[in-house]
Amino acid sequence: MTPAVKDRILALLSEHGVFADPEVVDYIATVDSPEDFCRRLLRAEDEPPLFLDMAVLKQLEDTVRRGSTKAEKAPPTRSPPEAEPEKMTEDIEGEAPPRTAGKGLMAPGFEPFAENIEPRVHVIKDITNRSTCEGTLKDFNVYFKNRYQKLKKLLRNRLEMRSSTSIEYAKDKNLAGEVKVIGIVSEVRTAPWGGVIIRVEDDTGEITATLGKDETAIKDEVVGLVGKLDDKGGRFGTRLRCKTLVRPGITTSREFKKADDPVYAMFISDIHLGSNTFLHRPWRNLIRWLNGHIDIQSDLVSRLKYIVINGDIVDGIGIYPNQEEELDIRDIYAQYEELARQLGDIPKHIQMIILPGNHDAVRPAEPQPTFPQEIRKLFPGNCTFVGNPSLFTIHGVEVLAYHGRSMDDTIPAMKLSYDRPIEVMEAMLHMRHLAPVYGERTPIAPEKNDTLVIESVPDIFVTGHLHKTDVKLYRNCLLIQASAWQSQTSFQKMMNLQPDPAKAVMVDLQTLSAKKLNFSDQQRT
Ligand code: FE
Ligand code: ZN
């Protein structure tokens, strides 16, 4: 074997962002057509591993030798083969990096670029300390009126809806003409012929409308309807035969803001610390990488200035029946204490922005204010706490962070899938609302001001909660479903949901280009 072969293998691996054990490179160099073999290894899974040691290599090799591809693999209903024990992890435990005064866990000689850049976090919108509601019936009327008014304003900006009228006025009109109304959907049902019939109302009245083929609406969203009236005073009263259903949406032409320093932000979510399915080893990989102990993607870690942690930061207690059986830490305060210790190992020049999710110790009704002082005080100084949702800028780039509970309601209502979180996020942008469905699984507090309306489109929109990982640039808005640090729970198993944990999404704040990093210590199957 020649050194040139090894160089080419190393180049191939680093092209794919894979950090390999020298042993692995030696091994690959000995097989027939090593480069071909290496390429096949890299293609064996959806994403190549971040760390490739002999144990992981053997698993990939198995996949390659069986000749199975991703598409041919057994459906997720079958239990995956046992992963081999991880060598990489033992190494980590064996050589816990020493702490040095002022430098924490940072590797000797690790001098990140971002250390010399001042963090710039500016909170624009957050319910914390601004909650106004008591939850009375009157509050709900005020809340829905506010939701309607805000979304009506957005809809009126659309060309199709400029000349819209009130529902009462439209009903009185000459039935031959086209009518345009904006209303809040109060009812959705399927007609005997298979189409969808909705009832919409505004402050003057209500009307029943039949939607076009393949169109659907969900309860409590605000829509524009364009069509003609029929059924003059018949059994069903006046009906609007809807030709076009208009949603506020977002425009294609918006420009995103760019940071003036070449810094990166990392997006993660759903740490669920305290759960017995919390992924200790991948989490330690992450901490080591952040401290410069792993020589891979060094430019990214050097430029990393922000980490956004998108809720469910601990597993909580009493969130679901018999949760205590799945907890390693059974005290909520102790869960936060341990997380604070973990985050204390992240270099001090990296600014963290942290919001709560439905597992955290804050009020469950959304919008959720941030963590109480008794919890915040446990954490290091480089943590900024915000509510859920919140809108803030990091280095001038606007981020809308929402944990994502409402996706549990939007997915069934819009017939979307847990496997495609980005589509759910696109639907939220079309409706310009973070939690359109009221009265199902997502508790909503009837604030005077509906802060769940997406009034302005951010540069980055991030959710978590689904425990998946995905990124897409949609009309110049970067959509991120940020990964969890918890493996499949018994609940997810029961629901046949496959999480995609232990990833981090890295975003270049000057270009909004994004990259996924895989910190898992075993191959997904
Ligand atoms: Fe979660
Ligand atoms: Zn959640």
Side-chain angles (χ1 to χ4, degrees), residues 270 312 358 403 465:
D270 296 80
D312 283 1
N358 53 304
H403 176 65
H465 187 65

Side-chain angles (χ1 to χ4, degrees), residues 346-360:
I346 291 175
K348 297 289 172 273
H349 69 274
I350 298 176
Q351 187 65 32
M352 291 175 265
I353 298 104
I354 305 176
L355 50 139
N358 53 304
H359 279 249
D360 286 297

Side-chain angles (χ1 to χ4, degrees), residues 302-349:
S302 172
R303 292 173 192 278
L304 180 63
K305 191 69 210 169
Y306 304 99
I307 301 179
V308 175
I309 308 180
N310 216 43
D312 283 1
I313 66 175
V314 300
D315 206 50
I317 52 159
I319 307 293
Y320 57 88
N322 302 322
Q323 186 186 13
E324 56 290 349
E325 286 161 27
E326 296 178 43
L327 288 179
D328 275 347
I329 307 173
R330 292 184 182 195
D331 177 272
I332 183 86
Y333 199 72
Q335 291 179 3
Y336 284 109
E337 265 178 339
E338 176 54 23
L339 180 66
R341 239 192 315 275
Q342 295 288 334
L343 298 187
D345 282 342
I346 291 175
K348 297 289 172 273
H349 69 274

